[in-house]
Amino acid sequence: MCGLVCLWNVGNEEMAARMIVKLEHRGPDATQITSLKGAPVIMAHSRLSIIGPQDGAQPIIQGTDMLIANGEIYNHADLRAILGKDIFQTASDSETILHLFRSRAARWVDRLDGMFAFVLATPDRIVAARDPLGIKPLYVARIGEGLAFASELKAFDGLGLQTIETVPPGTLYDSRDGWRQWYRMPQGAARAEPGLDVEATARELRLVIEAAVAKWMVADVEVGSFLSGGLDSSIIAAIAQRQLKQAGRAPLKTFSVGTAGSPDLIAAKAVAAHIGSDHDEYVFTSDDLVENLPHVIYHLESADIDLVRSAIPTLFAARLARRQVKAVLTGEGADELFAGYTYHHAYVDDPRALADELTRSLGTMHNINLQRVDRISMAESLEARTPFLDRDLIAFAQSTPAELKLRRTDPDRIESTGPTTEKWLLRKACADLLPESLVWRKKAQFDEGSGTVAALQDALQTLTGNTGVIDRVQEGAFYEKTLRDRFVDPDLILANAGRWVADRVAA
């Protein structure tokens, strides 16, 4: 995981240095600035070494071509075997991007399996691309006749720019051929075909999830796991722990946070005991929020109320985990794939609308939850991985009928889950991994289950000097003021900030 900056036909090394220094939290292991002989390009890279830690420094140069990348290519070993091991100079997974490009294979970028954002330059061409869902960020700004790319908005702050664009998920830019969308989200299925074997579907889903977890644990460093005690992170942690145990390796390190006595801490401790993970927790207070809110908002690059609220416990979890590991698994994406939010209940009698809504929400994750996870984990130099957003798992989940994801609750489940059960098929597929009371635990938002919302009132009163109840308008105004105070060009940041948008498919 890394921070990157690329200047094409614009600027100089001093400008690149000013930009990359603002991203060094993304990669504290090494920072390098390089120009390509004979080409109008300067690349800067701050590295967090995960794969190929000894020789994977970037930018990577092969002949007259140069690459910088952020993320992980999980099928890099297979690609090495296909492309020919002799052409590789490093053990870095990122080098496969460069050789795929140089192979001139049709739709070469589609062969990359992982989470990534990269910029690649030749003497007369610049190419940039982003992974299917936008797990890894990439922005671009036009400066005169040139282009400037960077991993975060803050790298552009103070340059006097008028506009910045997000490189869309699943999209590639080529200075020779323009923009093209190389990945399209598969449309979700609505109803089951006659005779569908639900038990077999659940078993197959389990196998696909297990394969995704195994793939997303590949690293040359130890990988831990966030564990909130909710269904999604518990499933990922339980499978990861099983795989480590089968391989004869040390127990999975799991991490949870919350206020004293919060539901998340209690549930996470129970899950950790059940699966046998090496568990650690951090109990935070309103004083911790007072101290860290400005830090959260600066790194989040957003003043959106809901994003800030959920970013707070993410920060404490990332900080806790980084003391022991460089990378963690998370449960992000399960709600969007399997209908896990409370508002999905309105779609229980309309599987077609539910399938369309899940497809829509998957396509917006890069601007909300994935931005939160990336920015806040990287603020602590921690790589966050999202196995539920594996391409194979997305394809399988989207082919699964929506009516199996959200179902009218069985009579004996009503007391614990309400009249409608979200993520029904996911629960069924993984029911043996966890105690029944945990498998069917009612979902809580991360900021609620962790106790953040309650502690936030006290923190905001301290920060604003207002002793009364802080409503959402006042809360949002404080977040925006805090953001404005941290940036030279706050309007530019706010214009591109991640935010929740109510554009849901009608039920």
Side-chain angles (χ1 to χ4, degrees), residues 3 12 125 130 148 171 182-183 223 293 316 343 442 477-478:
N12 50 37
R125 187 179 177 190
R130 197 172 176 196
T171 299
W182 65 268
Y183 175 86
V223 178
L293 256 176
F316 296 132
Y343 84 88
K442 191 67 176 174
F478 174 77

Side-chain angles (χ1 to χ4, degrees), residues 226 228 257 264 309-315 317 332 372 443-452:
F226 285 165
S228 70
V257 299
D264 277 4
R309 286 182 174 187
S310 56
I312 292 166
T314 303
L315 173 73
E332 299 297 329
R372 167 183 57 83
K443 177 181 174 59
Q445 296 296 114
F446 191 21
D447 54 348
E448 296 171 352
S450 63
T452 301

Side-chain angles (χ1 to χ4, degrees), residues 6-9 34-36 39-43 66 119 121-122 126:
C6 177
L7 303 177
W8 173 260
N9 202 31
T34 306
S35 57
L36 183 61
V41 63
I42 300 167
M43 292 185 176
M66 183 163 67
V119 185
T122 72
I126 192 84

Side-chain angles (χ1 to χ4, degrees), residues 136-402:
K136 292 294 101 190
L138 187 61
Y139 295 92
V140 60
R142 295 189 178 276
I143 305 176
E145 297 299 315
L147 297 171
F149 296 87
S151 296
E152 296 184 13
L153 293 168
K154 58 180 62 68
F156 301 99
D157 188 39
L159 297 183
L161 303 178
Q162 297 300 311
T163 60
I164 302 172
E165 298 176 59
T166 300
V167 174
T171 299
L172 179 143
Y173 172 76
D174 188 330
S175 60
R176 186 185 67 185
D177 303 321
W179 294 90
R180 70 179 178 88
Q181 188 177 349
W182 65 268
Y183 175 86
R184 282 176 169 77
M185 182 67 61
Q187 181 62 43
R191 294 191 180 275
E193 297 178 0
L196 178 70
D197 188 332
V198 176
E199 296 292 335
T201 301
R203 290 196 298 272
E204 189 65 20
L205 172 59
R206 171 68 168 273
L207 292 174
V208 176
I209 296 173
E210 290 175 346
V213 172
K215 182 194 303 183
W216 288 61
M217 287 188 73
V218 171
D220 292 332
V221 298
E222 185 175 13
V223 178
S225 185
F226 285 165
L227 181 59
S228 70
L231 181 70
D232 310 335
S233 63
S234 296
I235 286 173
I236 296 298
I239 291 173
Q241 168 61 11
R242 281 193 176 192
Q243 292 176 350
L244 288 173
K245 186 175 182 179
Q246 290 168 358
R249 295 169 60 184
L252 178 74
K253 288 184 169 65
T254 54
F255 308 95
S256 67
V257 299
T259 57
S262 62
D264 277 4
L265 285 181
I266 295 170
K269 187 173 292 185
V271 171
H274 182 80
I275 67 176
S277 66
D278 180 0
H279 191 59
D280 198 3
E281 66 178 33
Y282 176 73
V283 179
F284 62 84
T285 67
S286 61
D287 289 340
D288 291 318
L289 272 61
V290 170
E291 181 179 349
N292 287 282
L293 256 176
H295 178 79
V296 166
I297 292 169
Y298 172 73
H299 281 286
L300 181 63
E301 300 183 329
S302 174
D304 182 87
I305 294 173
D306 294 306
L307 283 182
V308 173
R309 286 182 174 187
S310 56
I312 292 166
T314 303
L315 173 73
F316 296 132
R319 191 170 289 169
L320 175 67
R322 189 59 180 88
R323 296 172 186 168
Q324 301 185 50
V325 298
K326 278 189 170 183
V328 291
L329 305 175
T330 80
E332 299 297 329
D335 290 321
E336 288 79 6
L337 283 174
F338 298 102
Y341 293 117
T342 301
Y343 84 88
H344 288 145
H345 290 197
Y347 297 88
V348 69
D349 296 318
D350 192 347
R352 179 68 270 158
L354 175 60
D356 292 344
E357 170 58 18
L358 297 179
T359 303
R360 182 206 66 81
S361 61
L362 281 165
T364 66
M365 288 192 72
H366 70 282
N367 202 39
I368 41 179
N369 278 338
L370 291 179
Q371 176 168 327
R372 167 183 57 83
V373 172
D374 172 82
R375 297 298 193 285
I376 301 304
S377 63
M378 292 309 298
E380 300 301 311
S381 306
L382 179 75
E383 176 176 290
R385 299 181 170 191
T386 55
F388 275 118
L389 297 179
D390 179 78
R391 282 178 68 180
D392 292 336
L393 179 49
I394 289 172
F396 186 85
Q398 286 291 88
S399 73
T400 302

